[in-house]
Short mmCIF file of all heavy atoms in Angstrom, two decimals:
data_model
loop_
_atom_site.label_atom_id
_atom_site.label_comp_id
_atom_site.label_asym_id
_atom_site.label_seq_id
_atom_site.Cartn_x
_atom_site.Cartn_y
_atom_site.Cartn_z
N MET T 1 -122.43 -132.24 78.67
CA MET T 1 -122.70 -133.52 77.96
C MET T 1 -124.01 -134.11 78.54
O MET T 1 -124.20 -134.12 79.71
CB MET T 1 -121.56 -134.52 78.22
CG MET T 1 -121.56 -135.58 77.17
SD MET T 1 -119.94 -136.35 76.90
CE MET T 1 -119.63 -137.06 78.48
N ASN T 2 -124.78 -134.60 77.65
CA ASN T 2 -126.05 -135.18 78.12
C ASN T 2 -126.07 -136.69 77.80
O ASN T 2 -126.14 -137.09 76.66
CB ASN T 2 -127.16 -134.50 77.37
CG ASN T 2 -128.55 -134.98 77.82
OD1 ASN T 2 -128.61 -135.73 78.82
ND2 ASN T 2 -129.60 -134.55 77.18
N ASN T 3 -125.96 -137.48 78.91
CA ASN T 3 -125.98 -138.89 78.69
C ASN T 3 -127.27 -139.57 78.80
O ASN T 3 -127.45 -140.75 78.71
CB ASN T 3 -124.98 -139.52 79.71
CG ASN T 3 -123.51 -139.48 79.23
OD1 ASN T 3 -123.34 -139.36 78.03
ND2 ASN T 3 -122.61 -139.43 80.14
N HIS T 4 -128.29 -138.71 79.05
CA HIS T 4 -129.64 -139.38 79.23
C HIS T 4 -130.18 -139.94 77.94
O HIS T 4 -130.18 -139.23 76.96
CB HIS T 4 -130.61 -138.36 79.78
CG HIS T 4 -131.92 -138.89 80.14
ND1 HIS T 4 -132.13 -139.66 81.24
CD2 HIS T 4 -133.11 -138.80 79.47
CE1 HIS T 4 -133.37 -140.05 81.21
NE2 HIS T 4 -134.06 -139.53 80.20
N THR T 5 -130.64 -141.12 77.93
CA THR T 5 -131.25 -141.77 76.81
C THR T 5 -132.65 -142.03 77.10
O THR T 5 -133.08 -142.38 78.21
CB THR T 5 -130.53 -143.09 76.44
OG1 THR T 5 -130.29 -143.88 77.62
CG2 THR T 5 -129.14 -142.81 75.82
N PRO T 6 -133.51 -141.90 76.10
CA PRO T 6 -134.97 -142.13 76.26
C PRO T 6 -135.37 -143.49 76.79
O PRO T 6 -136.24 -143.70 77.59
CB PRO T 6 -135.54 -141.80 74.89
CG PRO T 6 -134.37 -141.78 73.91
CD PRO T 6 -133.15 -141.50 74.73
N HIS T 7 -134.66 -144.49 76.19
CA HIS T 7 -134.97 -145.83 76.68
C HIS T 7 -133.94 -146.32 77.66
O HIS T 7 -132.74 -145.95 77.51
CB HIS T 7 -135.16 -146.87 75.53
CG HIS T 7 -134.40 -146.52 74.36
ND1 HIS T 7 -135.01 -146.27 73.12
CD2 HIS T 7 -133.05 -146.29 74.10
CE1 HIS T 7 -134.12 -145.94 72.29
NE2 HIS T 7 -132.96 -145.99 72.80
N ASP T 8 -134.30 -147.05 78.78
CA ASP T 8 -133.27 -147.37 79.75
C ASP T 8 -132.74 -148.76 79.33
O ASP T 8 -133.18 -149.78 79.84
CB ASP T 8 -133.78 -147.30 81.14
CG ASP T 8 -134.81 -148.31 81.48
OD1 ASP T 8 -135.76 -148.41 80.72
OD2 ASP T 8 -134.65 -148.96 82.49
N THR T 9 -131.78 -148.71 78.37
CA THR T 9 -131.13 -149.97 78.09
C THR T 9 -129.92 -150.12 78.90
O THR T 9 -128.92 -149.41 78.78
CB THR T 9 -130.69 -149.90 76.52
OG1 THR T 9 -131.73 -149.36 75.80
CG2 THR T 9 -130.36 -151.28 76.01
N GLU T 10 -129.97 -151.00 79.90
CA GLU T 10 -128.87 -151.15 80.78
C GLU T 10 -128.08 -152.40 80.40
O GLU T 10 -128.34 -153.53 80.81
CB GLU T 10 -129.50 -151.44 82.12
CG GLU T 10 -129.20 -150.56 83.38
CD GLU T 10 -128.26 -149.36 83.28
OE1 GLU T 10 -127.04 -149.59 83.43
OE2 GLU T 10 -128.72 -148.22 83.22
N LEU T 11 -127.09 -152.27 79.60
CA LEU T 11 -126.24 -153.30 79.13
C LEU T 11 -124.94 -153.34 79.89
O LEU T 11 -124.34 -152.32 80.07
CB LEU T 11 -125.95 -153.28 77.66
CG LEU T 11 -127.09 -153.68 76.70
CD1 LEU T 11 -126.73 -153.59 75.30
CD2 LEU T 11 -127.61 -155.09 77.05
N THR T 12 -124.65 -154.47 80.46
CA THR T 12 -123.33 -154.66 81.20
C THR T 12 -122.60 -155.76 80.64
O THR T 12 -123.15 -156.55 79.74
CB THR T 12 -123.70 -154.92 82.69
OG1 THR T 12 -124.55 -156.12 82.76
CG2 THR T 12 -124.33 -153.74 83.30
N LEU T 13 -121.38 -155.95 81.07
CA LEU T 13 -120.56 -157.03 80.59
C LEU T 13 -121.32 -158.37 80.95
O LEU T 13 -121.69 -158.46 82.12
CB LEU T 13 -119.19 -156.96 81.23
CG LEU T 13 -118.16 -155.93 80.59
CD1 LEU T 13 -116.89 -155.93 81.39
CD2 LEU T 13 -117.96 -156.18 79.18
N GLY T 14 -121.26 -159.22 80.00
CA GLY T 14 -121.91 -160.57 80.28
C GLY T 14 -123.41 -160.57 80.03
O GLY T 14 -124.06 -161.66 80.15
N ALA T 15 -123.98 -159.38 79.71
CA ALA T 15 -125.46 -159.33 79.41
C ALA T 15 -125.70 -160.09 78.08
O ALA T 15 -124.77 -160.16 77.21
CB ALA T 15 -125.90 -157.91 79.30
N LEU T 16 -126.83 -160.55 77.90
CA LEU T 16 -127.20 -161.36 76.70
C LEU T 16 -128.11 -160.46 75.81
O LEU T 16 -129.05 -159.83 76.23
CB LEU T 16 -127.91 -162.60 77.03
CG LEU T 16 -127.08 -163.64 77.78
CD1 LEU T 16 -127.90 -164.93 78.09
CD2 LEU T 16 -125.81 -164.04 76.87
N VAL T 17 -127.67 -160.45 74.52
CA VAL T 17 -128.52 -159.65 73.51
C VAL T 17 -128.77 -160.61 72.41
O VAL T 17 -128.28 -161.71 72.31
CB VAL T 17 -127.81 -158.43 73.01
CG1 VAL T 17 -127.52 -157.53 74.24
CG2 VAL T 17 -126.46 -158.81 72.35
N ASP T 18 -129.67 -160.18 71.48
CA ASP T 18 -129.93 -160.96 70.24
C ASP T 18 -128.86 -160.72 69.21
O ASP T 18 -128.49 -159.65 68.88
CB ASP T 18 -131.25 -160.63 69.71
CG ASP T 18 -132.44 -161.02 70.58
OD1 ASP T 18 -132.30 -161.96 71.38
OD2 ASP T 18 -133.42 -160.33 70.62
N CYS T 19 -128.31 -161.86 68.66
CA CYS T 19 -127.38 -161.69 67.58
C CYS T 19 -128.10 -161.14 66.28
O CYS T 19 -129.15 -161.71 65.94
CB CYS T 19 -126.75 -163.06 67.18
SG CYS T 19 -125.72 -163.00 65.75
N PRO T 20 -127.54 -160.12 65.72
CA PRO T 20 -128.20 -159.50 64.52
C PRO T 20 -128.31 -160.43 63.33
O PRO T 20 -129.11 -160.28 62.43
CB PRO T 20 -127.30 -158.30 64.17
CG PRO T 20 -126.41 -158.12 65.40
CD PRO T 20 -126.38 -159.42 66.07
N THR T 21 -127.49 -161.45 63.31
CA THR T 21 -127.41 -162.36 62.14
C THR T 21 -128.30 -163.55 62.30
O THR T 21 -129.13 -163.82 61.56
CB THR T 21 -126.02 -162.83 61.88
OG1 THR T 21 -125.24 -161.69 61.51
CG2 THR T 21 -125.96 -163.85 60.79
N CYS T 22 -128.16 -164.29 63.44
CA CYS T 22 -128.87 -165.56 63.62
C CYS T 22 -129.90 -165.46 64.66
O CYS T 22 -130.79 -166.40 64.78
CB CYS T 22 -127.85 -166.65 63.93
SG CYS T 22 -127.00 -166.39 65.43
N GLY T 23 -130.02 -164.40 65.41
CA GLY T 23 -131.05 -164.26 66.46
C GLY T 23 -130.79 -165.05 67.72
O GLY T 23 -131.63 -165.07 68.56
N LEU T 24 -129.71 -165.74 67.79
CA LEU T 24 -129.36 -166.52 69.01
C LEU T 24 -128.73 -165.61 70.05
O LEU T 24 -128.31 -164.49 69.68
CB LEU T 24 -128.44 -167.70 68.63
CG LEU T 24 -129.03 -168.82 67.76
CD1 LEU T 24 -127.97 -169.77 67.31
CD2 LEU T 24 -130.13 -169.47 68.52
N PRO T 25 -128.67 -166.05 71.26
CA PRO T 25 -128.14 -165.25 72.32
C PRO T 25 -126.66 -164.88 72.02
O PRO T 25 -125.86 -165.72 71.66
CB PRO T 25 -128.26 -166.10 73.55
CG PRO T 25 -129.30 -167.04 73.31
CD PRO T 25 -129.24 -167.29 71.77
N ALA T 26 -126.27 -163.59 72.26
CA ALA T 26 -124.89 -163.13 72.17
C ALA T 26 -124.52 -162.52 73.44
O ALA T 26 -125.36 -161.80 73.99
CB ALA T 26 -124.79 -162.20 70.97
N GLU T 27 -123.29 -162.69 73.79
CA GLU T 27 -122.86 -162.15 75.01
C GLU T 27 -121.99 -160.94 74.92
O GLU T 27 -121.24 -160.76 73.94
CB GLU T 27 -121.95 -163.20 75.75
CG GLU T 27 -121.51 -162.74 77.14
CD GLU T 27 -120.70 -163.80 77.87
OE1 GLU T 27 -120.52 -164.90 77.33
OE2 GLU T 27 -120.11 -163.52 78.93
N VAL T 28 -122.25 -159.86 75.74
CA VAL T 28 -121.47 -158.65 75.64
C VAL T 28 -120.15 -158.91 76.22
O VAL T 28 -120.07 -159.30 77.41
CB VAL T 28 -122.21 -157.51 76.40
CG1 VAL T 28 -121.39 -156.23 76.47
CG2 VAL T 28 -123.62 -157.26 75.73
N THR T 29 -119.12 -158.74 75.53
CA THR T 29 -117.76 -159.07 76.05
C THR T 29 -116.96 -157.82 76.21
O THR T 29 -115.87 -157.80 76.87
CB THR T 29 -117.01 -159.95 74.94
OG1 THR T 29 -116.92 -159.31 73.80
CG2 THR T 29 -117.72 -161.26 74.85
N ASP T 30 -117.43 -156.67 75.70
CA ASP T 30 -116.60 -155.46 75.92
C ASP T 30 -117.55 -154.22 75.78
O ASP T 30 -118.48 -154.29 74.87
CB ASP T 30 -115.51 -155.36 74.90
CG ASP T 30 -114.40 -154.43 75.34
OD1 ASP T 30 -114.48 -153.99 76.47
OD2 ASP T 30 -113.45 -154.21 74.55
N LEU T 31 -117.27 -153.22 76.52
CA LEU T 31 -118.11 -151.97 76.45
C LEU T 31 -117.12 -150.82 76.38
O LEU T 31 -116.16 -150.77 77.15
CB LEU T 31 -119.00 -151.82 77.68
CG LEU T 31 -120.18 -152.76 77.82
CD1 LEU T 31 -120.82 -152.65 79.20
CD2 LEU T 31 -121.19 -152.45 76.78
N PHE T 32 -117.35 -149.92 75.40
CA PHE T 32 -116.45 -148.77 75.29
C PHE T 32 -117.18 -147.70 74.56
O PHE T 32 -118.26 -147.88 73.95
CB PHE T 32 -115.16 -149.23 74.58
CG PHE T 32 -115.37 -149.88 73.21
CD1 PHE T 32 -115.53 -149.17 72.01
CD2 PHE T 32 -115.61 -151.27 73.20
CE1 PHE T 32 -115.66 -149.76 70.88
CE2 PHE T 32 -115.82 -151.87 71.91
CZ PHE T 32 -115.87 -151.13 70.83
N THR T 33 -116.57 -146.51 74.60
CA THR T 33 -117.22 -145.38 73.98
C THR T 33 -116.37 -144.97 72.79
O THR T 33 -115.04 -144.71 72.88
CB THR T 33 -117.28 -144.17 74.99
OG1 THR T 33 -118.02 -144.68 76.11
CG2 THR T 33 -117.98 -143.04 74.29
N LEU T 34 -116.96 -144.76 71.62
CA LEU T 34 -116.30 -144.24 70.44
C LEU T 34 -116.69 -142.82 70.25
O LEU T 34 -117.88 -142.49 70.22
CB LEU T 34 -116.63 -145.11 69.26
CG LEU T 34 -116.12 -146.58 69.12
CD1 LEU T 34 -116.54 -147.25 67.92
CD2 LEU T 34 -114.64 -146.52 69.22
N GLY T 35 -115.72 -141.95 69.98
CA GLY T 35 -115.99 -140.65 69.65
C GLY T 35 -116.51 -140.49 68.21
O GLY T 35 -116.05 -141.26 67.37
N GLY T 36 -117.41 -139.69 67.95
CA GLY T 36 -118.03 -139.56 66.60
C GLY T 36 -118.88 -138.36 66.50
O GLY T 36 -118.97 -137.62 67.40
N ALA T 37 -119.58 -138.23 65.41
CA ALA T 37 -120.48 -137.11 65.20
C ALA T 37 -121.90 -137.65 65.37
O ALA T 37 -122.22 -138.73 64.90
CB ALA T 37 -120.32 -136.55 63.76
N PRO T 38 -122.78 -136.94 66.17
CA PRO T 38 -122.54 -135.66 66.77
C PRO T 38 -121.81 -135.75 68.09
O PRO T 38 -121.48 -134.69 68.64
CB PRO T 38 -123.98 -135.08 66.97
CG PRO T 38 -124.78 -136.31 67.15
CD PRO T 38 -124.15 -137.47 66.30
N GLY T 39 -121.60 -136.88 68.65
CA GLY T 39 -120.92 -137.04 69.98
C GLY T 39 -120.52 -138.38 70.16
O GLY T 39 -120.68 -139.29 69.37
N PRO T 40 -119.89 -138.70 71.36
CA PRO T 40 -119.46 -139.99 71.70
C PRO T 40 -120.63 -140.99 71.79
O PRO T 40 -121.68 -140.62 72.27
CB PRO T 40 -118.78 -139.81 73.11
CG PRO T 40 -118.50 -138.33 73.13
CD PRO T 40 -119.59 -137.66 72.43
N VAL T 41 -120.43 -142.16 71.30
CA VAL T 41 -121.48 -143.21 71.34
C VAL T 41 -120.93 -144.44 72.02
O VAL T 41 -119.83 -144.95 71.70
CB VAL T 41 -121.88 -143.57 69.88
CG1 VAL T 41 -123.03 -144.65 69.89
CG2 VAL T 41 -122.41 -142.35 69.15
N GLU T 42 -121.73 -144.91 72.97
CA GLU T 42 -121.33 -146.10 73.59
C GLU T 42 -121.57 -147.34 72.72
O GLU T 42 -122.55 -147.52 72.10
CB GLU T 42 -122.18 -146.36 74.86
CG GLU T 42 -121.73 -145.41 76.04
CD GLU T 42 -121.93 -146.11 77.31
OE1 GLU T 42 -123.05 -146.05 77.90
OE2 GLU T 42 -121.01 -146.86 77.77
N HIS T 43 -120.45 -148.15 72.64
CA HIS T 43 -120.56 -149.37 71.82
C HIS T 43 -120.33 -150.62 72.69
O HIS T 43 -119.74 -150.61 73.71
CB HIS T 43 -119.42 -149.34 70.78
CG HIS T 43 -119.74 -148.47 69.60
ND1 HIS T 43 -119.85 -147.10 69.71
CD2 HIS T 43 -119.95 -148.74 68.30
CE1 HIS T 43 -120.14 -146.58 68.55
NE2 HIS T 43 -120.17 -147.55 67.62
N ALA T 44 -120.89 -151.68 72.20
CA ALA T 44 -120.64 -153.00 72.84
C ALA T 44 -120.06 -153.97 71.83
O ALA T 44 -120.50 -154.00 70.65
CB ALA T 44 -121.97 -153.51 73.37
N LYS T 45 -119.14 -154.79 72.23
CA LYS T 45 -118.66 -155.88 71.42
C LYS T 45 -119.45 -157.13 71.90
O LYS T 45 -119.44 -157.41 73.06
CB LYS T 45 -117.18 -155.98 71.64
CG LYS T 45 -116.52 -157.13 70.77
CD LYS T 45 -115.04 -157.12 70.90
CE LYS T 45 -114.46 -158.29 70.14
NZ LYS T 45 -113.01 -158.33 70.26
N ILE T 46 -120.00 -157.82 70.94
CA ILE T 46 -120.78 -159.01 71.35
C ILE T 46 -120.34 -160.22 70.55
O ILE T 46 -119.84 -160.05 69.37
CB ILE T 46 -122.34 -158.80 71.08
CG1 ILE T 46 -122.61 -158.57 69.59
CG2 ILE T 46 -122.84 -157.60 71.79
CD1 ILE T 46 -124.12 -158.58 69.27
N ILE T 47 -120.44 -161.33 71.11
CA ILE T 47 -120.07 -162.57 70.44
C ILE T 47 -121.22 -163.59 70.69
O ILE T 47 -121.55 -163.90 71.82
CB ILE T 47 -118.73 -163.23 70.98
CG1 ILE T 47 -117.58 -162.27 70.71
CG2 ILE T 47 -118.45 -164.49 70.30
CD1 ILE T 47 -116.26 -162.73 71.24
N CYS T 48 -121.76 -164.10 69.58
CA CYS T 48 -122.92 -165.03 69.76
C CYS T 48 -122.47 -166.47 69.83
O CYS T 48 -121.28 -166.75 69.69
CB CYS T 48 -123.98 -164.83 68.65
SG CYS T 48 -123.72 -165.87 67.28
N VAL T 49 -123.38 -167.30 70.17
CA VAL T 49 -123.03 -168.75 70.40
C VAL T 49 -122.54 -169.35 69.08
O VAL T 49 -121.86 -170.44 69.13
CB VAL T 49 -124.30 -169.51 70.88
CG1 VAL T 49 -124.67 -169.04 72.27
CG2 VAL T 49 -125.43 -169.47 69.96
N ARG T 50 -122.80 -168.80 67.97
CA ARG T 50 -122.19 -169.30 66.72
C ARG T 50 -120.98 -168.53 66.29
O ARG T 50 -120.47 -168.64 65.19
CB ARG T 50 -123.28 -169.12 65.57
CG ARG T 50 -124.38 -170.17 65.72
CD ARG T 50 -125.26 -170.23 64.48
NE ARG T 50 -126.36 -171.13 64.73
CZ ARG T 50 -127.34 -171.31 63.78
NH1 ARG T 50 -127.42 -170.50 62.78
NH2 ARG T 50 -128.30 -172.15 64.01
N ARG T 51 -120.43 -167.75 67.26
CA ARG T 51 -119.13 -167.08 67.09
C ARG T 51 -119.28 -165.93 66.04
O ARG T 51 -118.25 -165.57 65.37
CB ARG T 51 -118.00 -168.05 66.72
CG ARG T 51 -117.79 -168.88 67.93
CD ARG T 51 -116.66 -169.98 67.58
NE ARG T 51 -116.59 -170.98 68.57
CZ ARG T 51 -115.80 -170.83 69.73
NH1 ARG T 51 -115.08 -169.81 69.83
NH2 ARG T 51 -115.75 -171.80 70.62
N HIS T 52 -120.45 -165.41 65.79
CA HIS T 52 -120.55 -164.19 65.04
C HIS T 52 -120.14 -163.10 66.06
O HIS T 52 -120.53 -163.15 67.16
CB HIS T 52 -121.87 -163.90 64.57
CG HIS T 52 -122.57 -164.82 63.67
ND1 HIS T 52 -123.80 -165.47 63.96
CD2 HIS T 52 -122.11 -165.52 62.60
CE1 HIS T 52 -124.05 -166.39 63.03
NE2 HIS T 52 -123.00 -166.35 62.19
N TRP T 53 -119.34 -162.13 65.57
CA TRP T 53 -119.04 -161.01 66.57
C TRP T 53 -119.20 -159.69 65.88
O TRP T 53 -119.04 -159.53 64.71
CB TRP T 53 -117.72 -161.16 67.30
CG TRP T 53 -116.50 -160.98 66.42
CD1 TRP T 53 -115.82 -161.99 65.80
CD2 TRP T 53 -115.79 -159.83 66.20
NE1 TRP T 53 -114.77 -161.42 65.15
CE2 TRP T 53 -114.74 -160.10 65.32
CE3 TRP T 53 -116.06 -158.43 66.54
CZ2 TRP T 53 -113.85 -159.14 64.93
CZ3 TRP T 53 -115.18 -157.51 66.08
CH2 TRP T 53 -114.08 -157.81 65.25
N TYR T 54 -119.68 -158.76 66.74
CA TYR T 54 -120.02 -157.42 66.28
C TYR T 54 -119.56 -156.43 67.20
O TYR T 54 -119.50 -156.66 68.37
CB TYR T 54 -121.49 -157.26 65.99
CG TYR T 54 -122.05 -158.23 65.02
CD1 TYR T 54 -122.54 -159.43 65.37
CD2 TYR T 54 -122.10 -157.87 63.66
CE1 TYR T 54 -123.00 -160.34 64.46
CE2 TYR T 54 -122.56 -158.73 62.72
CZ TYR T 54 -123.02 -159.96 63.09
OH TYR T 54 -123.52 -160.79 62.17
N THR T 55 -119.34 -155.14 66.68
CA THR T 55 -119.23 -153.94 67.53
C THR T 55 -120.28 -153.06 67.12
O THR T 55 -120.31 -152.61 65.96
CB THR T 55 -117.82 -153.36 67.31
OG1 THR T 55 -116.84 -154.32 67.69
CG2 THR T 55 -117.69 -152.10 68.16
N LEU T 56 -121.26 -152.81 68.00
CA LEU T 56 -122.49 -152.11 67.68
C LEU T 56 -122.79 -151.02 68.71
O LEU T 56 -122.47 -151.32 69.88
CB LEU T 56 -123.69 -153.06 67.65
CG LEU T 56 -123.58 -154.15 66.54
CD1 LEU T 56 -124.63 -155.14 66.77
CD2 LEU T 56 -123.75 -153.54 65.16
N PRO T 57 -123.36 -149.97 68.27
CA PRO T 57 -123.82 -148.96 69.28
C PRO T 57 -124.81 -149.55 70.27
O PRO T 57 -125.66 -150.42 69.85
CB PRO T 57 -124.51 -147.89 68.48
CG PRO T 57 -124.02 -148.13 67.08
CD PRO T 57 -123.65 -149.55 66.93
N LEU T 58 -124.82 -149.20 71.47
CA LEU T 58 -125.71 -149.88 72.46
C LEU T 58 -127.14 -149.66 72.10
O LEU T 58 -127.92 -150.55 72.43
CB LEU T 58 -125.43 -149.18 73.85
CG LEU T 58 -124.18 -149.54 74.62
CD1 LEU T 58 -124.34 -149.20 76.09
CD2 LEU T 58 -123.86 -151.05 74.47
N GLU T 59 -127.46 -148.51 71.49
CA GLU T 59 -128.87 -148.28 71.27
C GLU T 59 -129.48 -149.25 70.20
O GLU T 59 -130.75 -149.33 70.06
CB GLU T 59 -129.10 -146.79 70.86
CG GLU T 59 -128.35 -146.47 69.58
CD GLU T 59 -128.44 -144.89 69.43
OE1 GLU T 59 -128.59 -144.15 70.31
OE2 GLU T 59 -128.27 -144.53 68.21
N THR T 60 -128.61 -149.91 69.44
CA THR T 60 -129.10 -150.90 68.47
C THR T 60 -129.33 -152.24 69.11
O THR T 60 -129.88 -153.10 68.38
CB THR T 60 -128.20 -150.96 67.25
OG1 THR T 60 -127.03 -151.61 67.69
CG2 THR T 60 -127.83 -149.63 66.65
N LEU T 61 -128.91 -152.43 70.34
CA LEU T 61 -128.99 -153.74 70.96
C LEU T 61 -130.15 -153.75 71.92
O LEU T 61 -130.47 -152.79 72.60
CB LEU T 61 -127.70 -154.04 71.74
CG LEU T 61 -126.38 -154.11 70.85
CD1 LEU T 61 -125.18 -154.23 71.72
CD2 LEU T 61 -126.50 -155.32 69.96
N THR T 62 -130.71 -155.04 72.05
CA THR T 62 -131.84 -155.14 73.07
C THR T 62 -131.41 -156.24 74.01
O THR T 62 -131.07 -157.35 73.62
CB THR T 62 -133.10 -155.59 72.28
OG1 THR T 62 -133.35 -154.67 71.24
CG2 THR T 62 -134.33 -155.61 73.26
N ALA T 63 -131.32 -155.95 75.26
CA ALA T 63 -130.94 -156.79 76.26
C ALA T 63 -132.15 -157.85 76.38
O ALA T 63 -133.24 -157.51 76.58
CB ALA T 63 -130.64 -156.18 77.55
N THR T 64 -131.71 -159.17 76.34
CA THR T 64 -132.66 -160.20 76.49
C THR T 64 -132.96 -160.50 77.94
O THR T 64 -133.97 -161.11 78.24
CB THR T 64 -132.25 -161.47 75.70
OG1 THR T 64 -131.02 -161.85 76.32
CG2 THR T 64 -132.14 -161.25 74.22
N THR T 65 -132.02 -160.13 78.80
CA THR T 65 -132.18 -160.42 80.24
C THR T 65 -133.33 -159.69 80.83
O THR T 65 -134.10 -160.26 81.59
CB THR T 65 -130.85 -160.07 81.00
OG1 THR T 65 -130.49 -158.80 80.58
CG2 THR T 65 -129.78 -161.04 80.73
N ALA T 66 -133.57 -158.43 80.38
CA ALA T 66 -134.62 -157.60 80.96
C ALA T 66 -136.00 -158.31 80.66
O ALA T 66 -136.86 -158.45 81.47
CB ALA T 66 -134.63 -156.21 80.39
N ALA T 67 -136.12 -158.77 79.41
CA ALA T 67 -137.38 -159.44 79.00
C ALA T 67 -137.56 -160.72 79.80
O ALA T 67 -138.69 -160.94 80.22
CB ALA T 67 -137.30 -159.75 77.57
N SER T 68 -136.52 -161.51 80.02
CA SER T 68 -136.73 -162.77 80.64
C SER T 68 -136.97 -162.51 82.16
O SER T 68 -137.72 -163.31 82.84
CB SER T 68 -135.56 -163.69 80.51
OG SER T 68 -134.36 -163.10 81.05
N GLU T 69 -136.44 -161.39 82.73
CA GLU T 69 -136.71 -161.14 84.08
C GLU T 69 -138.23 -160.78 84.28
O GLU T 69 -138.86 -161.27 85.20
CB GLU T 69 -135.90 -159.89 84.55
CG GLU T 69 -134.63 -160.19 85.30
CD GLU T 69 -133.78 -158.99 85.55
OE1 GLU T 69 -134.42 -158.04 86.08
OE2 GLU T 69 -132.63 -159.03 85.29
N ARG T 70 -138.76 -160.01 83.35
CA ARG T 70 -140.14 -159.68 83.39
C ARG T 70 -141.03 -160.93 83.28
O ARG T 70 -141.95 -161.13 83.98
CB ARG T 70 -140.51 -158.75 82.28
CG ARG T 70 -140.96 -157.35 82.76
CD ARG T 70 -141.14 -156.40 81.70
NE ARG T 70 -139.94 -155.58 81.31
CZ ARG T 70 -139.45 -155.46 80.16
NH1 ARG T 70 -140.00 -156.03 79.11
NH2 ARG T 70 -138.42 -154.68 79.97
N THR T 71 -140.62 -161.83 82.41
CA THR T 71 -141.35 -163.08 82.21
C THR T 71 -141.37 -163.88 83.42
O THR T 71 -142.42 -164.42 83.89
CB THR T 71 -140.80 -163.86 80.96
OG1 THR T 71 -140.72 -163.03 79.84
CG2 THR T 71 -141.64 -165.03 80.64
N SER T 72 -140.19 -164.12 84.04
CA SER T 72 -140.12 -165.00 85.17
C SER T 72 -140.86 -164.34 86.38
O SER T 72 -141.42 -165.02 87.23
CB SER T 72 -138.66 -165.27 85.61
OG SER T 72 -137.99 -164.08 85.76
N ALA T 73 -140.78 -163.01 86.47
CA ALA T 73 -141.50 -162.32 87.63
C ALA T 73 -143.04 -162.54 87.50
O ALA T 73 -143.63 -162.84 88.49
CB ALA T 73 -141.18 -160.81 87.57
N SER T 74 -143.55 -162.42 86.24
CA SER T 74 -144.94 -162.68 86.14
C SER T 74 -145.26 -164.13 86.31
O SER T 74 -146.36 -164.49 86.84
CB SER T 74 -145.47 -162.09 84.76
OG SER T 74 -144.86 -162.86 83.77
N ALA T 75 -144.39 -165.03 85.98
CA ALA T 75 -144.64 -166.42 86.14
C ALA T 75 -144.70 -166.75 87.61
O ALA T 75 -145.50 -167.53 88.06
CB ALA T 75 -143.52 -167.24 85.49
N ILE T 76 -143.86 -166.12 88.34
CA ILE T 76 -143.78 -166.34 89.81
C ILE T 76 -145.08 -165.77 90.48
O ILE T 76 -145.66 -166.53 91.26
CB ILE T 76 -142.57 -165.69 90.49
CG1 ILE T 76 -141.26 -166.45 90.03
CG2 ILE T 76 -142.66 -165.66 92.06
CD1 ILE T 76 -140.02 -165.68 90.32
N SER T 77 -145.48 -164.64 90.09
CA SER T 77 -146.65 -164.07 90.74
C SER T 77 -147.86 -164.80 90.28
O SER T 77 -148.94 -164.79 91.05
CB SER T 77 -146.79 -162.57 90.41
OG SER T 77 -146.97 -162.38 89.00
N GLY T 78 -147.87 -165.47 89.14
CA GLY T 78 -148.99 -166.22 88.71
C GLY T 78 -149.06 -167.61 89.29
O GLY T 78 -150.04 -168.30 89.10
N GLN T 79 -147.98 -167.98 89.94
CA GLN T 79 -147.91 -169.42 90.45
C GLN T 79 -148.27 -169.33 91.97
O GLN T 79 -147.82 -168.47 92.67
CB GLN T 79 -146.47 -169.86 90.32
CG GLN T 79 -146.41 -171.13 89.58
CD GLN T 79 -144.92 -171.44 89.24
OE1 GLN T 79 -144.01 -170.96 89.89
NE2 GLN T 79 -144.71 -172.29 88.27
N ARG T 80 -148.99 -170.31 92.42
CA ARG T 80 -149.26 -170.31 93.81
C ARG T 80 -148.97 -171.72 94.40
O ARG T 80 -149.25 -172.71 93.83
CB ARG T 80 -150.70 -170.04 94.06
CG ARG T 80 -150.98 -168.67 93.48
CD ARG T 80 -152.41 -168.15 93.76
NE ARG T 80 -152.52 -167.82 95.25
CZ ARG T 80 -153.60 -167.26 95.63
NH1 ARG T 80 -154.61 -166.96 94.93
NH2 ARG T 80 -153.69 -167.06 96.96
ZN1 ZN J 1 -124.96 -165.14 65.38
#
């Protein structure tokens, strides 16, 4: 089995992603693997601040935390 993915999307419980419907922050409340073709796919259950909820494959989600970490890191290094 090959679990390596080209992009390193590290989603964990409690991570924030963009809601597909309203674009507001959605929290990952569950992570699980669904068997399917061609192989098992990792899914995340997310619930956004407007209570939209989805079960989506991880690869369709973008973690917003990684982006904000990068932003704050550059803000810190730019600050003196
Ligand atoms: Zn939403």
Side-chain angles (χ1 to χ4, degrees):
M1 196 155 67
N2 184 6
N3 277 336
H4 184 74
T5 45
H7 26 241
D8 69 309
T9 319
E10 237 0 273
L11 282 180
T12 53
L13 285 179
L16 293 179
V17 298
D18 292 330
C19 174
T21 297
C22 63
L24 291 173
E27 185 179 352
V28 176
T29 60
D30 201 7
L31 289 168
F32 53 92
T33 303
L34 289 181
V41 179
E42 281 214 273
H43 282 67
K45 184 176 174 182
I46 65 171
I47 299 179
C48 93
V49 294
R50 289 190 180 173
R51 295 177 188 271
H52 302 127
W53 69 268
Y54 298 90
T55 299
L56 295 168
L58 285 198
E59 59 188 24
T60 68
L61 298 172
T62 308
T64 59
T65 47
S68 63
E69 264 175 47
R70 244 176 266 130
T71 306
S72 56
S74 62
I76 289 165
S77 63
Q79 233 171 22
R80 304 187 67 169

